[in-house]
Amino acid sequence: MRTRLAAALCGVVLTAGTLLSAPAASAQATAYPTSPFDVTVGNTYTRGTITWYNRSVTVTGEQ
């Protein structure tokens, strides 16, 4: 009985320590620069935004 109580207490202490040492979930994300684009040729168009990261880009839009 005493061994189970000690094991349960250790489990609670380890869980509490993990939760208390975890980084805050409300950390503010870095705002990456964006550029809007619009390419229109006749009746065809492509519009959206480009998000610039350190070594890559993401293009989102509609055609």
Side-chain angles (χ1 to χ4, degrees):
M1 181 73 175
R2 197 171 203 175
T3 305
R4 288 184 183 178
L5 181 61
L9 183 60
C10 286
V12 169
V13 169
L14 287 174
T15 303
T18 302
L19 292 175
L20 293 175
S21 66
S26 63
Q28 186 177 11
T30 304
Y32 294 104
T34 59
S35 302
F37 70 91
D38 181 359
V39 180
T40 302
V41 179
N43 291 334
T44 305
Y45 66 90
T46 303
R47 297 181 187 120
T49 58
I50 302 171
T51 305
W52 304 94
Y53 300 100
N54 289 336
R55 297 193 292 173
S56 64
V57 297
T58 300
V59 179
T60 58
E62 61 182 26
Q63 194 172 25

